[in-house]
Amino acid sequence: ARGRDHHAMADTKKYQFKTIKVTISNYVAHVELNRPKKANAMSSTMVSELKQVFDKLSTDSNVRVVLLSGSGKVYCAGIDLQGSLLTSLDPEDEGIARAAWKVRRQIGAFQDSISSIERCPKPVVNAIHGACIGAGVDMIVTSDIRYCTSDAYFCVKEVDIGLAADVGTLQRLPRVIKNESLVRELCFTARNMKSAEAHECGLVSRIFSNKEQMMKEAMTVCNIIASKSPIAVQSTKIALIYSRDHGVQEGLDFQKNWNMSMLMTEDIPKAVAGKMAKKKPIFSKL
């Protein structure tokens, strides 16, 4: 009976937030940055809520894949400079050492929020339109699949406001596009990279003429992923991230140890039987 609950709806009451909108249907969670009047700039509230959202999604059995996008005219204009960490620094209040420890904690909380996207075992499909600046780039490089519209552009903006990016871009972007010269050019100059160049270097895998077309195709891909075995899909994401950060043999050893238990699942005979009968298998919640 559990395996037939394909169209179960999640309890959306636990996903009520001020800056992020979450809708869940057929195992797909659509997470939408929802500060359109502020160009989805990341406020301290959004930073906190982003982590809450992805921590909840990580353990929600009604969710198998996440679609992440922005409301309004752009994806994300970066950090909200009004009332952010950057405008609250005053070492004279408590001395340089104590102020530094406070800043360290705040940066750590911001890093933890952005990394919650990557830590989520459910694949995250990112749909980007318009501007994707600063913290927006930090978010997209944590995702598994990235699509954009033809009018999208990307900017590692931090040097223009007097700091080095510190919540993930400098660590993840080189692993995503694998072109050190281009990465350093983007990070040192803070220039805009348009969609065609983003596709050419591998930052995004597909470009769409408009947001409506992009969202439709992104949802189609999400539905395909959601129809697969959640054990297989989530194990695959975990293995890919582990292997990215370790050597080949370490990755093989990890996979061997992981699959010695994950192969003992009803999902394998279900999938095989579905193939043989040419019927779509229905998998139990995880």
Side-chain angles (χ1 to χ4, degrees):
R2 292 178 61 204
R4 300 180 185 277
D5 193 20
H6 180 62
H7 296 288
M9 299 288 288
D11 178 12
T12 55
K13 291 180 180 179
K14 63 182 179 181
Y15 292 102
Q16 301 299 315
F17 298 97
K18 292 181 179 179
T19 66
I20 298 175
K21 181 181 178 183
V22 181
T23 55
I24 301 173
S25 179
N26 297 334
Y27 294 121
V28 179
H30 182 193
V31 175
E32 193 173 23
L33 307 177
N34 196 30
R35 299 186 77 213
K37 292 182 180 180
K38 294 288 188 178
N40 296 321
M42 292 199 76
S43 62
S44 57
T45 300
M46 182 181 281
V47 171
S48 174
E49 290 186 342
L50 185 71
K51 182 180 185 301
Q52 293 176 57
V53 167
F54 276 92
D55 283 352
K56 290 177 185 292
L57 292 173
S58 293
T59 57
D60 191 333
S61 62
N62 290 298
V63 175
R64 293 180 180 176
V65 60
V66 182
L67 173 58
L68 178 57
S69 69
S71 63
K73 295 181 179 180
V74 303
Y75 175 78
C76 178
I79 193 170
D80 189 343
L81 295 177
Q82 295 182 338
S84 72
L85 166 65
L86 299 179
T87 58
S88 63
L89 304 181
D90 188 1
E92 292 185 4
D93 285 349
E94 49 194 343
I96 292 175
R98 284 177 175 79
W101 276 96
K102 180 179 179 181
V103 171
R104 186 178 188 273
R105 286 194 297 270
Q106 290 176 311
I107 294 173
F110 199 171
Q111 290 177 342
D112 196 38
S113 173
I114 296 294
S115 294
S116 69
I117 302 172
E118 184 175 88
R119 284 198 306 269
C120 177
K122 288 80 184 279
V124 179
V125 178
N126 222 310
I128 306 133
H129 74 291
C132 179
I133 298 171
V137 177
D138 289 314
M139 280 191 287
I140 69 167
V141 293
T142 64
S143 302
D144 301 286
I145 298 170
R146 289 171 294 276
Y147 298 151
C148 77
T149 56
S150 57
D151 68 347
Y153 65 93
F154 307 83
C155 179
V156 184
K157 192 68 172 175
E158 282 79 357
V159 294
D160 274 354
I161 55 174
L163 65 125
D166 55 9
V167 293
T169 289
L170 301 186
Q171 293 70 37
R172 294 186 176 101
L173 187 60
R175 297 168 184 261
V176 171
I177 67 177
K178 295 180 173 43
N179 182 330
E180 282 285 345
S181 178
L182 178 58
V183 168
R184 291 167 192 245
E185 178 191 329
L186 294 170
C187 295
F188 294 155
T189 66
R191 73 166 175 86
N192 293 339
M193 178 169 65
K194 295 183 178 179
S195 58
E197 186 181 4
H199 181 260
E200 182 182 355
C201 74
L203 180 60
V204 300
S205 54
R206 297 177 69 179
I207 302 175
F208 298 88
S209 59
N210 56 63
K211 185 181 179 183
E212 182 181 8
Q213 183 186 28
M214 174 181 67
M215 295 304 294
K216 181 179 179 181
E217 183 59 24
M219 186 58 74
T220 297
V221 170
C222 285
N223 284 324
I224 292 171
I225 295 171
S227 72
K228 310 294 184 183
S229 159
I231 288 178
V233 170
Q234 293 177 44
S235 294
T236 297
K237 175 171 179 174
I238 290 167
L240 283 168
I241 292 175
Y242 184 91
S243 294
R244 178 198 67 187
D245 297 335
H246 297 79
V248 173
Q249 189 57 51
E250 289 175 296
L252 288 169
D253 290 340
F254 174 87
Q255 200 61 35
K256 175 175 60 180
N257 293 332
W258 184 272
N259 267 9
M260 70 182 184
S261 57
M262 290 300 105
L263 293 181
M264 293 183 235
T265 170
E266 63 178 12
D267 290 18
I268 295 175
K270 276 187 178 182
V272 172
K275 287 287 185 184
M276 298 291 289
K278 295 183 178 180
K279 291 183 178 180
K280 188 176 179 180
I282 297 174
F283 299 103
S284 302
K285 293 181 180 182
L286 179 60

